[in-house]
Amino acid sequence: MGRNKSAGPKGAIVGSGGTTPLFGASPVHNTSNYGSPQPAYVGPPAYAPYSPSAPPIYSAPGYADQEAGTGPQKPRIKQNRTCRDILFLILFLAYGVGIIIASSYGFHNGDPRRLVYGLDYKGNTCGDNKGSPNLKDYDIRYWLNPNQVYKSGLTSDPFNLGDARSICLADCPIPSATNLTWVCDYPEGPIKLTMSEWGARNYDYFSMLTPEQQASSFNLTGPCYPVLFTSTNLFWSCQLASTPSNTSLSLWQSAGGTEVQSGNVIVQVVQKALSSPAAIVKRYVADLGRAWPVLVVCGGIAPLVLSIAYLVLVRYFVGVLTWITIILLNVLTALVTLFFYIKAGWIGKDVVTGVIGDGANKVLSSSASEANHLKIVAVIMSIVFVVVVLVTLVLIKRLIIAVAVIKVATKAMGAIPSLLIYPIIPFIFQSAFLIYWVAGFLYLVSAGTVTRNNCNNSCAAYDLTAGLVTDTNCCGYDVHQSKNLVWAILYQIFGFFWTTQFITACCLTTIAGAVAAYYWARGDTANMGWLPVLSSAKRVFRYSLGSMALGSLLVAIIEMIRFLLEMLRKKLKALEAAPGGCFITICCCCVQCCLGCIEWTIKFINRNAYIVIAINGKGFCRAAGKATGLIVNNVLRVAAVNIIGDMILFLGKVVVSLASALFAFLMLDTKQYKTGHSKVSSPLFPVLASL
């Protein structure tokens, strides 16, 4: 009952929109159960078959079918290959060199502390031990002159809070209940104190001043300034209360001090500065650096361990595990949603606050922006939870079929045990790249030039070195990013998209080659060759890295366009509130939706193209064309199998992601990340990064 080459079965290599490419089959030409059993293409992401007793559907060119059971099959994996898409591999390597150069510039010129602590009036970063003076352990910014803070909050006055005189302290000063206390400028000139002695005196050397300097201090021009307002550490900046202490104000007035302005303006101007989009983004980026242990554990180790454990359980307990997965999916979705509700302040009193240390009740609306972001995510998670419950109820009957499909998929795992171990290798590469990239990105974002602001307002203060009150060079400092630095940051972001997709592509193609070897061996492990995973990886790294670079480049371009569009939408947020602004919102949403569909399609084609590449070593474009043609010719089969075959494995991925997010929430809810120097402004970014 032999068949010649021309009579071989036809079919398709199919997949599910970027999650599960599949080897599919139909029962045609199968009078002798030819090709049974069929393995699933298993691995992260996992793969499932069409039918446990169907013939092979992809015949590599140049290979003939043999009669079932009459002898060993010829290898269908093409061994005689040539290097493909070399130009794109060279381009990828050159881009990687550029990432190293950009990161090196950031490491040399950046300081992530600028993203959080801010600058003093000398341009020093608070907490920097390399500044002048040495500000180690002095990482809280404090505005000395309350009148300047008040003035910067008036819409009729052009004075900016960034030009108000600020210094770095170890903690926020509190008014005394018995006497007038002072916070004095950094000791220099005639004040012969070290920074340690200055801190030990609670920053007060008023008694050491000359009569002229004391008179200047009573005029709020320094070098010492009265502590009249209670202040609270809000995101490493001292938030002044709206009204001064009655006792301190009385002592100040009786001593002949100048009039002090007060009111809600003082509170609002500081909160406005700390709640600006730029300040929030900087804090969120800095949160990734502060919560790096959470990212390592919950974004790396936990998902890897849980994924391997899940695959092992699927191998031996697929029936029971199916129902456990469904239950865990619903429970974990509910728990993650509940945590967002708690942190947003809708349930309980554990709302996220910007206050560091005690005294949260002294500051109202201190974390309005962070709380609003958490509320938005809480609403989204509520919708997700409802959808999960409804989908579970609707598709529960299909689970029986899905279990049968997955049982066949586990046979490949049993035949190639290294499939369970192999994901550790790309995980190590991915983790190493992410650690390096995040560190380089943090330093690069903070690598702007510290320059003095251009202000035309009076900010006169006493200069201890010059020995007089002067308004020369009294404007504040800020970190300014040049156009070249902005381009370098965008370059770094695109490199992140391209490299992560490249590593994923190499992983998928390697696993595809290993499972294809098992597939063509018809279940006979002796015909698979020695270490099929290693052999497949060798073929990928020797011949097909250029194709991986091209496929990942296409996805990275779409992801970068979507990122830039989202950044543009945030820039136009003010226009969205204006009349007719809803048109901008609708346009942005429509474009994002279209780009999302394009990205989904490209990933779908890519993953199936990688399977063709793993089998016959074609170039990316030819492989994508071949895979697309096979998919189009079997579109109904693709749709049917994807709904059933991917269900359990997709739910497993969601369960692992939600479990990692839950662990991240629990770690961030400890005292280490709620107080002190390791406090994160919001758990949102670290949790999302752990998914």
Side-chain angles (χ1 to χ4, degrees):
M1 203 183 87
R3 289 178 294 175
N4 58 27
K5 179 178 177 180
S6 61
K10 304 289 185 180
I13 299 175
V14 297
S16 64
T19 57
T20 313
L22 310 165
F23 283 108
S26 70
V28 296
H29 308 297
N30 195 30
T31 57
S32 62
N33 277 338
Y34 176 79
S36 177
Q38 280 193 49
Y41 182 79
V42 181
Y47 301 85
Y50 276 118
S51 169
S53 60
I57 55 153
Y58 181 81
S59 296
Y63 294 97
D65 294 331
Q66 300 289 324
E67 182 177 357
T70 60
Q73 301 287 330
K74 286 185 178 181
R76 302 303 180 91
I77 307 298
K78 186 176 181 180
Q79 303 295 331
N80 185 20
R81 305 187 180 198
T82 58
C83 295
R84 304 287 186 175
D85 302 312
I86 297 296
L87 178 62
F88 292 95
L89 177 60
I90 295 174
L91 181 62
F92 176 76
L93 295 176
Y95 203 99
V97 173
I99 291 177
I100 295 175
I101 294 174
S103 299
S104 299
Y105 176 83
F107 291 138
H108 185 264
N109 297 282
D111 186 352
R113 288 173 296 191
R114 295 175 183 171
L115 303 176
V116 178
Y117 298 136
L119 307 175
D120 65 6
Y121 77 94
K122 291 177 174 287
N124 297 314
T125 302
C126 292
D128 186 7
N129 58 355
K130 299 179 181 178
S132 178
N134 185 344
L135 296 177
K136 182 181 179 181
D137 300 327
Y138 298 96
D139 52 12
I140 302 173
R141 181 172 50 177
Y142 176 73
W143 286 278
L144 292 166
N145 191 335
N147 281 355
Q148 288 183 343
V149 177
Y150 182 89
K151 186 179 180 181
S152 65
L154 300 176
T155 56
S156 58
D157 197 305
F159 190 79
N160 191 290
L161 182 65
D163 298 320
R165 200 170 188 84
S166 62
I167 61 175
C168 303
L169 306 178
D171 48 26
C172 293
I174 300 175
S176 173
T178 58
N179 61 297
L180 185 63
T181 56
W182 302 82
V183 170
C184 300
D185 201 348
Y186 300 131
E188 56 185 358
I191 307 301
K192 304 301 182 181
L193 294 175
T194 64
M195 289 295 291
S196 299
E197 293 171 339
W198 174 67
R201 296 171 64 100
N202 290 324
Y203 328 111
D204 184 357
Y205 53 74
F206 181 80
S207 59
M208 300 173 62
L209 300 179
T210 64
E212 176 191 0
Q213 293 169 338
Q214 290 182 352
S216 175
S217 298
F218 278 107
N219 197 34
L220 286 181
T221 53
C224 293
Y225 297 81
V227 181
L228 303 178
F229 295 80
T230 300
S231 59
T232 307
N233 184 353
L234 176 63
F235 293 134
W236 297 274
S237 292
C238 290
Q239 167 73 74
L240 301 179
S242 58
T243 57
S245 166
N246 292 331
T247 302
S248 298
L249 182 60
S250 298
L251 293 172
W252 171 257
Q253 291 174 342
S254 63
T258 189
E259 181 183 358
V260 175
Q261 297 168 313
S262 62
N264 288 331
V265 173
I266 292 181
V267 176
Q268 294 169 358
V269 67
V270 176
Q271 290 192 354
K272 182 180 179 181
L274 297 177
S275 301
S276 65
I280 293 173
V281 170
K282 288 180 180 179
R283 286 200 298 271
Y284 281 172
V285 171
D287 286 343
L288 296 179
R290 292 178 178 277
W292 68 266
V294 177
L295 299 182
V296 171
V297 174
C298 300
I301 298 176
L304 177 65
V305 173
L306 291 175
S307 298
I308 294 177
Y310 186 84
L311 289 176
V312 172
L313 292 175
V314 166
R315 172 72 177 90
Y316 296 103
F317 309 103
V318 63
V320 176
L321 188 64
T322 300
W323 302 108
I324 295 177
T325 299
I326 294 173
I327 295 172
L328 283 177
L329 174 65
N330 288 269
V331 172
L332 289 173
T333 305
L335 289 176
V336 172
T337 304
L338 181 63
F339 260 98
F340 275 112
Y341 271 77
I342 293 173
K343 294 303 177 182
W346 282 343
I347 298 178
K349 299 180 180 180
D350 196 22
V351 61
V352 168
T353 173
V355 177
I356 300 174
D358 299 327
N361 59 334
K362 299 177 183 178
V363 181
L364 301 177
S365 303
S366 60
S367 306
S369 299
E370 282 73 9
N372 287 336
H373 295 165
L374 289 171
K375 289 177 181 178
I376 293 173
V377 178
V379 172
I380 295 175
M381 285 302 302
S382 301
I383 297 173
V384 171
F385 174 67
V386 173
V387 171
V388 166
V389 173
L390 293 177
V391 170
T392 301
L393 295 176
V394 171
L395 297 180
I396 198 167
K397 291 183 178 180
R398 294 182 176 269
L399 293 175
I400 298 176
I401 303 176
V403 169
V405 173
I406 301 302
K407 283 182 178 179
V408 178
T410 58
K411 293 182 179 180
M413 296 168 54
I416 313 176
S418 56
L419 283 176
L420 293 174
I421 304 174
Y422 172 73
I424 297 177
I425 298 175
F427 167 78
I428 293 174
F429 280 102
Q430 195 89 285
S431 299
F433 169 74
L434 289 177
I435 292 172
Y436 179 81
W437 184 88
V438 169
F441 184 74
L442 287 173
Y443 277 89
L444 191 62
V445 170
S446 61
T449 304
V450 178
T451 56
R452 187 180 292 277
N453 298 331
N454 183 20
C455 67
N456 298 319
N457 304 287
S458 176
C459 49
Y462 196 94
D463 188 335
L464 284 171
T465 304
L468 50 83
V469 176
T470 177
D471 59 1
T472 304
N473 296 328
C474 66
C475 296
Y477 285 82
D478 200 0
V479 180
H480 298 276
Q481 294 178 337
S482 64
K483 290 184 179 180
N484 290 335
L485 181 59
V486 173
W487 282 113
I489 293 173
L490 294 177
Y491 182 94
Q492 200 84 343
I493 294 173
F494 183 78
F496 169 79
F497 292 141
W498 193 0
T499 307
T500 52
Q501 289 296 330
F502 177 82
I503 296 174
T504 301
C506 293
C507 175
L508 293 179
T509 310
T510 299
I511 297 177
V515 177
Y518 169 78
Y519 178 85
W520 299 120
R522 304 295 185 266
D524 185 0
T525 56
N527 293 329
M528 289 192 302
W530 187 70
L531 294 177
V533 173
L534 184 60
S535 299
S536 178
K538 180 181 178 181
R539 291 191 297 269
V540 171
F541 281 86
R542 185 173 180 180
Y543 301 109
S544 301
L545 286 182
S547 300
M548 305 298 99
L550 176 54
S552 56
L553 174 63
L554 297 177
V555 179
I557 290 174
I558 299 299
E559 290 181 333
M560 190 65 185
I561 294 175
R562 296 188 68 184
F563 172 80
L564 294 176
L565 181 64
E566 183 63 21
M567 295 298 294
L568 179 62
R569 189 188 69 81
K570 292 185 180 297
K571 291 286 185 181
L572 299 176
K573 194 171 184 179
L575 296 178
E576 292 180 8
C582 60
F583 178 74
I584 297 176
T585 304
I586 294 173
C587 289
C588 290
C589 291
C590 290
V591 175
Q592 281 282 26
C593 182
C594 293
L595 290 174
C597 293
I598 294 173
E599 181 182 351
W600 181 90
T601 304
I602 292 177
K603 286 183 176 180
F604 175 81
I605 295 173
N606 277 10
R607 289 172 181 264
N608 290 281
Y610 296 150
I611 298 176
V612 177
I613 293 171
I615 294 174
N616 59 25
K618 289 180 180 289
F620 176 81
C621 294
R622 292 182 61 192
K626 180 69 174 179
T628 303
L630 294 173
I631 292 169
V632 171
N633 292 334
N634 297 269
V635 63
L636 295 179
R637 205 177 302 164
V638 172
V641 174
N642 285 347
I643 293 175
I644 299 174
D646 297 347
M647 186 183 306
I648 297 176
L649 297 173
F650 174 74
L651 294 181
K653 298 173 190 176
V654 175
V655 168
V656 170
S657 297
L658 290 175
S660 300
L662 186 61
F663 292 155
F665 259 127
L666 294 175
M667 287 188 67
L668 292 169
D669 204 41
T670 58
K671 185 178 180 181
Q672 177 183 356
Y673 298 106
K674 297 176 73 173
T675 60
H677 296 290
S678 297
K679 176 184 171 66
V680 295
S681 63
S682 171
L684 182 59
F685 254 43
V687 169
L688 293 180
S690 299
L691 289 175

